[in-house]
Amino acid sequence: GAVTLDNATNDVDNLVLSAAGQATAFTDVDGINLAGINAASLTLNAGGAVTDTVATTVGTLSVTSTGPVTLDVAANDVDNVGISAAGQAITFVDHEDFNITGMNGSTVALTSGGAVTDSGTIVAGTFTLTSGGAVTLNTAANDVDTLTISAAGQPIVFVDVDGFDIAGLNGTSATLTSGGAVTDSGTITVGTLNVTSTGAVTLNTATNDVNDLIVSAAGQAVTFVDTDGINLAGITAGTFTLTAGGAVTDSAATAATNLNVTATGPVTLDFAANDVDVLNVSTPGQAITFVDADGFDIASLNGAVTTLTAGGAVTDSGTIIATTLNVTGTGPVTLNTATNDVDVLNISTPGQAITFVDVDGFDIAGINGAATTLTAGGAVTDSGTIIATTFNMTGTGPVTLNSAANDVD
């Protein structure tokens, strides 16, 4: 039958209980070692440290302790585990999956041979989980300061009531929800990283390796660094700063007041619903493509062939460096920074004003606008057609515009 040994003055060093299918409870005045437990449930209250030397096999394990809890026998088999040891270190190992009904400790280190879920709150300064299955810790009241989860080949879900630091993440995907700022002090390695945050997101560890990035942090600064290429699968932020060691693409909209991209590969952000106010892209020698739903300002561009499409006006407050600059717009294009350096220029914004300034000479591969004003610090040629209501050219070198189809009023 049931075993209930809950006298507060009990003093046992090693506890063995065999009560298969039965509820058990034990209270000890100080520390205790579990030397073999088999029951439907065990409720343990200890006035000191709790350890184990033989497997614990129970449906539900509830431990309350004033000392550290170290239950690290590899053969432990618990379905539901709850440990309360405020201010103390907790270690728990289970050979298969388990559910967390509650955890409260200074540091919590869990190892599971299967999936891990939570139906109760996790409170820990440092939370470390190694799992052989999916990790789903989505209780809204979870409160962890530093998070490490290793679940190679498995999805990870984690929810925290406020901010936290990521000391390491490894899985196929990680979906994180935070009620505050999110930082990283260790590497994130996942196929898809999805972060929803009410605070700033600063994930700038150089060895991060994510294939698809989703961040929702409206009005907040977002920083992400990746060791190689990355795809943006949906970004909502105030200022979004991205550093990539390879190509950058997008498969969903980026909405940000400021978009700063530094890459070593081509940058192709051509999703039609992108909405950025200020654009800054540096990927010297690489192609840049950017599409925006409305107008934007160029704070700086440094690339090879650069192709911009805008649903509104385009301006520049910084320098554009490109071998070829292609701009297609529906509003006026005003690129008048004196240090712009473009070799080949192509702007199409029919019926709208075009202004372009270049530090030296350039070739016109195509101009289609209304009043067009060009300023060059060198020779100007045309290899394509100029269509303009008014064409104003100021230069310090020869101007040779001899395309037969030019049409200027």
Side-chain angles (χ1 to χ4, degrees), residues 138-240:
N138 56 7
T139 297
N142 288 337
D143 190 0
V144 170
D145 295 331
T146 303
L147 177 71
T148 303
I149 300 178
S150 179
Q154 302 292 329
I156 298 169
V157 176
F158 182 75
V159 175
D160 195 282
V161 68
D162 55 17
F164 59 90
D165 177 72
I166 300 169
L169 279 181
N170 187 352
T172 55
S173 64
T175 301
L176 309 178
T177 303
S178 171
V182 181
T183 60
D184 65 349
S185 56
T187 300
I188 300 169
T189 304
V190 295
T192 300
L193 176 64
N194 188 335
V195 180
T196 301
S197 177
T198 60
V201 177
T202 309
L203 306 176
N204 56 6
T205 297
T207 52
N208 288 337
D209 191 0
V210 170
N211 296 331
D212 294 285
L213 179 67
I214 304 168
V215 179
S216 178
Q220 301 292 327
V222 175
T223 301
F224 189 78
V225 175
D226 197 276
T227 189
D228 54 17
I230 193 166
N231 178 66
L232 305 182
I235 305 292
T236 302
T239 297
F240 177 46

Side-chain angles (χ1 to χ4, degrees), residues 230-234 248-254 267-274 289-291:
I230 193 166
N231 178 66
L232 305 182
V248 179
T249 59
D250 65 354
S251 57
T254 297
V267 175
T268 309
L269 304 176
D270 56 3
F271 201 84
N274 288 335
T289 301
F290 182 73
V291 176

Side-chain angles (χ1 to χ4, degrees), residues 233-334:
I235 305 292
T236 302
T239 297
F240 177 46
T241 301
L242 175 66
T243 303
V248 179
T249 59
D250 65 354
S251 57
T254 297
T257 53
N258 290 67
L259 174 62
N260 304 309
V261 179
T262 302
T264 61
V267 175
T268 309
L269 304 176
D270 56 3
F271 201 84
N274 288 335
D275 189 1
V276 170
D277 296 332
V278 179
L279 179 68
N280 185 345
V281 180
S282 177
T283 182
Q286 302 289 328
I288 298 171
T289 301
F290 182 73
V291 176
D292 197 277
D294 54 18
F296 58 89
D297 178 72
I298 300 169
S300 73
L301 285 179
N302 189 344
V305 176
T306 298
T307 302
L308 308 178
T309 304
V314 180
T315 60
D316 66 349
S317 56
T319 301
I320 301 169
I321 299 173
T323 55
T324 300
L325 176 63
N326 302 307
V327 180
T328 302
T330 60
V333 175
T334 308

Side-chain angles (χ1 to χ4, degrees), residues 99 115-119 129 133-139 155-158:
N99 176 65
V116 180
T117 58
D118 66 348
S119 57
L129 172 61
V135 175
T136 309
L137 306 177
N138 56 7
T139 297
I156 298 169
V157 176
F158 182 75

Side-chain angles (χ1 to χ4, degrees), residues 52-109:
D52 64 352
T53 52
V54 180
T56 297
T57 303
V58 295
T60 300
L61 175 64
S62 301
V63 178
T64 303
S65 175
T66 60
V69 176
T70 309
L71 304 175
D72 57 3
V73 171
N76 286 336
D77 188 1
V78 173
D79 296 331
N80 296 282
V81 59
I83 301 176
S84 179
Q88 302 292 327
I90 298 171
T91 301
F92 180 73
V93 176
D94 194 285
H95 87 284
E96 58 182 11
D97 54 339
F98 60 86
N99 176 65
I100 300 168
T101 58
M103 284 276 163
N104 188 346
S106 58
T107 63
V108 175

